[in-house]
Amino acid sequence: MSFVPPKKIRRIAINTGGGDAPGLNAVIRAVTLCALNRGWEVLGIRKGFGSLLGGEPCIRMDAKTVRGIAHLGGTILGTTSRGDPFQTKVHLPGMRRQRLAADVIVDELKNLHVDGLIAVGGDGSLSIAYRLMLMGIPVIGVPKTIDNDLNATERTFGFDTAVATATDCCDKLHSTAQSHDRVMVVEVMGRYAGWIALHTGLSTSADVILMPEIPFSLEKIAKYLKNRRREGKPYAIVVVSEGAHESGKDFFFKSDKNEKGSEPRLGGCAEYVAERIQALTGMETRSLVLGHIQRGGSPTTYDRLLALRYGAAAVRMAEQGLWGNIVSFRPPLMSHAPIESAIKERKLVPIDSDTVRTARELGICLGD
Ligand code: F6P
């Protein structure tokens, strides 16, 4: 069954799912204020779909709830990246038997007289939203991820902040690399796409950038670093995406990649690369993983503005009956695209893009 678009909107709900990203609160503020200004009610679902599955009740959003939050990191609604409702059963008080969580969510949204859901999330959460739509819930998706790997939109909010944070951290490593004549290998997030690594590496003037789209050769990296040393630069900054991998080899995983119910966690590439660089060049090498610091803190001005625009556009789309779509940023416009197009495949860095070309022309080693 597919959804029946509401004739008149009285009440919408909003939720945030998956990993947090700077700018979520700005989206929540924009959705709430733009909806209230149209005379609609707004329910904030906590912790993904938690409020509909026996968790803390929904928040009745008003202007006060969203006052002064646009500059705050995280999400006032809370989020979760665990428990796919299509793979989870629940047995809540008053239920005679266990039920699929997704069925309970659909019933609860109907019991709450929600005319449509604004689902803010990455590919996992948007896939769930899409399946809820097929079960009868009118949905509009707002694409979110620091990784910038969602198709059908030019830029996700949170990415700019993650790159700014990672660049700031890498800037700080230049002085220690130079003082000690060391190679510093820094692992950044981004999953299977190299957007964060590429933009951070270029911005911080890294010497080597490794990303999933360009499998690397350790021999080539070692040769490059030895040349640098011969030229009187016995130090280097190497920015490594968590999804980078050697040519012909698998990704580096921290968790079992076949584990059911959660996304496999990437990690470990920087440590491996550092160890191999030291062995191949004899240069003193250290590695570090920036981790979740890239998702934290206040969104940059760019992300705040982008997130506010995403939120306002989502409400506009609901008003126009454009359910079943995500808000799609097509600079300078806010447009829309079917939810399926956002979840179908990942947006990787095109290896012939101007940014990659710029890195090569600046003499940065991309490991190939
Ligand atoms: O998708 C955002 C992201 O931060 C990725 O860059 C990273 O691989 C993953 O989430 C980490 O997930 P978790 O918060 O579950 O460790």
Side-chain angles (χ1 to χ4, degrees), residues 81 145-147 189-191 242 265 292 295:
S81 43
T145 170
I146 63 160
D147 306 328
M189 284 184 165
R191 294 202 303 179
E242 62 182 358
R265 288 167 59 216
H292 293 81
R295 294 219 307 244

Side-chain angles (χ1 to χ4, degrees), residues 77-335:
L77 294 176
T79 187
T80 175
S81 43
R82 301 191 70 81
D84 177 349
F86 287 90
Q87 286 187 32
T88 314
K89 292 207 165 164
V90 288
H91 196 169
L92 304 178
M95 275 184 190
R96 269 182 298 165
R97 54 183 170 82
Q98 274 199 337
R99 295 184 65 205
L100 188 68
D103 289 335
V104 178
I105 291 170
V106 170
D107 286 354
E108 281 302 299
L109 286 170
K110 288 183 178 162
N111 290 341
L112 289 166
H113 304 290
V114 168
D115 296 310
L117 171 69
I118 310 286
V120 191
D123 58 354
S125 311
L126 292 178
S127 304
I128 293 168
Y130 176 69
R131 293 178 73 181
L132 292 176
M133 184 185 85
L134 297 180
M135 292 170 72
I137 303 298
V139 173
I140 284 172
V142 177
K144 163 243 60 162
T145 170
I146 63 160
D147 306 328
N148 196 37
D149 62 349
L150 280 181
N151 246 328
T153 196
E154 184 67 28
R155 179 63 66 92
T156 47
F157 65 87
F159 172 70
D160 188 65
T161 309
V163 170
T165 301
T167 302
D168 189 35
C169 293
C170 291
D171 285 352
K172 291 189 161 79
L173 294 169
H174 279 277
S175 48
T176 190
Q178 284 191 30
S179 307
H180 284 265
D181 289 344
R182 274 181 184 162
V183 179
M184 302 297 297
V185 185
V186 191
E187 186 169 302
V188 296
M189 284 184 165
R191 294 202 303 179
Y192 304 97
W195 296 103
I196 297 180
L198 180 63
H199 286 227
T200 300
L202 262 166
S203 307
T204 194
S205 301
D207 307 291
V208 182
I209 302 172
L210 304 180
M211 46 190 206
E213 293 83 352
I214 304 178
F216 60 83
S217 146
L218 285 162
E219 285 67 34
K220 292 203 173 134
I221 299 167
K223 191 169 164 209
Y224 176 90
L225 293 174
K226 283 189 205 161
N227 275 341
R228 263 180 71 81
R229 184 171 53 191
R230 263 196 297 279
E231 289 163 2
K233 292 172 281 185
Y235 53 85
I237 299 289
V238 179
V239 175
V240 175
S241 167
E242 62 182 358
H245 55 94
E246 257 179 291
S247 200
K249 298 216 178 138
D250 200 2
F251 299 101
F252 290 81
F253 287 105
K254 266 179 142 171
S255 62
D256 179 359
K257 66 174 172 180
N258 300 316
E259 202 177 293
K260 288 218 171 81
S262 57
E263 270 273 312
R265 288 167 59 216
L266 288 158
C269 187
E271 195 182 349
Y272 171 75
V273 168
E275 205 177 275
R276 296 305 303 144
I277 287 178
Q278 180 148 331
L280 290 168
T281 64
M283 294 164 86
E284 194 179 23
T285 307
R286 294 284 187 274
S287 70
L288 68 151
V289 178
L290 292 189
H292 293 81
I293 194 162
Q294 293 159 93
R295 294 219 307 244
S298 285
T300 57
T301 315
Y302 179 90
D303 272 341
R304 280 179 218 183
L305 183 56
L306 182 60
L308 290 168
R309 290 184 65 194
Y310 266 117
V315 173
R316 223 176 287 140
M317 282 166 58
E319 187 174 48
Q320 293 164 6
L322 290 167
W323 304 101
N325 286 285
I326 60 153
V327 187
S328 163
F329 180 42
R330 295 288 172 216
L333 301 175
M334 281 299 185
S335 182

